């Protein structure tokens, strides 16, 4: 009886060993911990309630404005104003010939008369003009063989006298129509340079003189 028990146990052992060898190995998977994603949130932000959305402004109804006049209002574009035209500078009115500063008088050769006028008004130094007239008359000589047809010949010579008596800008201002007579008048003024110095009381730098020659054959 004991031998049958031992034999039965050996048979079971052999069966178990055979099953263990025949069975395929199985992979054992050990379940790991699940991965959970966590988002970090600022605690202060969680405590602040979200701001309520701003209310939308009420919609205004657009009123349609219709013109009172059917044609509308016409706007006129202003035209640019033209600049005023420059006014022409009025020319000085030529005054009528006034009496010379030093009236005509008989001087120099027989038949010659001389008068003196100046550009400066109210020239008070009459003695100085007498000196000029006598000096020029002494340097004038009537041209030989001159004939005026019985009429007096008159010429006016213009010149300027500087502070020291120097003569400049000599020119024939009014001709007599007799060439020889006009030349003699200009020559008499030219060779009278220099004149006496201007008076000390005269404040101008120079003096403009108009010397008139009037001659009638004796």
């Amino acid at each position: 009886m004991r031998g049958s028990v031992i034999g039965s146990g050996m048979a079971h052992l052999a069966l178990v060993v055979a099953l263990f060898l025949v069975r395929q190995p199985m992979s054992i998977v050990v379940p790991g911990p699940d991965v959970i994603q966590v988002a970090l949130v600022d605690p202060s932000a969680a405590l602040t309630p979200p701001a309520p959305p701003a209310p939308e402004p009420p919609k205004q109804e657009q009123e349609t404005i219709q013109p009172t006049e059917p044609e509308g209002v016409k706007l006129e574009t202003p035209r640019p104003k033209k600049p005023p035209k420059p006014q022409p500078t009025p020319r000085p009115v030529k005054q009528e010939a006034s009496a010379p500063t030093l009236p005509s008088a008989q001087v120099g050769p027989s038949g010659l008369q001389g008068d003196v006028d100046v550009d400066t008004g109210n020239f008070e130094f009459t003695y100085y003009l007498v000196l000029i007239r006598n000096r020029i008359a002494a340097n004038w000589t009537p041209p030989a063989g001159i004939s005026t047809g019985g009429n007096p010949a008159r010429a006016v010579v213009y010149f300027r006298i500087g502070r020291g008596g120097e003569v400049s800008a000599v020119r024939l201002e009014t001709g007599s129509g007799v060439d020889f007579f006009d030349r003699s008048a200009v020559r008499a003024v030219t060779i009278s340079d220099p004149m006496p110095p201007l008076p000390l009381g005269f404040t101008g730098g120079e003096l403009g003189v108009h010397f008139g020659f009037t001659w009638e054959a004796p």
Side-chain angles (χ1 to χ4, degrees):
M1 175 116 181
R2 184 179 181 182
S4 60
V5 173
I6 293 171
S8 176
M10 292 296 290
H12 283 82
L13 181 59
L15 180 59
V16 171
V17 172
L19 291 175
F20 181 78
L21 295 174
V22 173
R23 186 179 180 182
Q24 296 180 355
M26 298 178 62
S27 58
I28 300 174
V29 179
V30 179
D34 296 335
V35 179
I36 301 175
Q37 295 182 355
V38 179
L40 299 179
V41 181
D42 188 3
S44 60
L47 296 177
T48 303
E56 296 182 358
K59 296 182 179 180
Q60 298 180 358
E61 296 181 358
Q62 298 181 354
E63 298 181 359
T64 303
I65 301 176
Q66 297 181 353
T68 56
E69 298 181 3
E71 296 182 358
V73 180
K74 296 182 180 179
L75 298 178
E76 296 182 358
T77 305
R79 297 180 180 179
K81 296 182 179 180
K82 296 182 179 180
K85 295 182 179 180
Q87 298 294 334
T89 304
R91 296 182 178 179
V93 180
K94 186 177 180 180
Q95 299 179 355
E96 296 294 335
S98 58
T101 307
L102 186 64
S104 179
Q106 183 75 32
V107 289
S110 176
L112 178 64
Q113 293 182 350
D115 57 82
V116 183
D117 197 7
V118 295
D119 291 341
T120 304
N122 299 326
F123 188 78
E124 301 176 353
F125 308 96
T126 306
Y127 78 92
Y128 183 76
L129 301 182
V130 173
L131 293 176
I132 293 175
R133 183 173 63 182
N134 293 339
R135 186 179 186 88
I136 295 176
N139 290 326
W140 183 80
T141 303
I146 184 174
S147 175
T148 61
N151 298 320
R154 176 174 173 79
V156 179
V157 179
Y158 176 81
F159 59 96
R160 305 189 70 83
I161 303 176
R163 191 77 234 175
E166 58 276 4
V167 177
S168 62
V170 181
R171 60 181 174 84
L172 180 66
E173 187 175 53
T174 304
S176 63
V178 181
D179 185 60
F180 289 151
F181 180 77
D182 295 342
R183 291 183 183 181
S184 66
V186 174
R187 180 180 179 276
V189 174
T190 303
I191 65 178
S192 298
D193 182 23
M195 295 287 186
L198 294 176
L200 296 177
F202 179 66
T203 58
E206 58 181 3
L207 179 67
V209 180
H210 308 261
F211 194 95
F213 294 82
T214 304
W215 183 75
E216 186 175 0

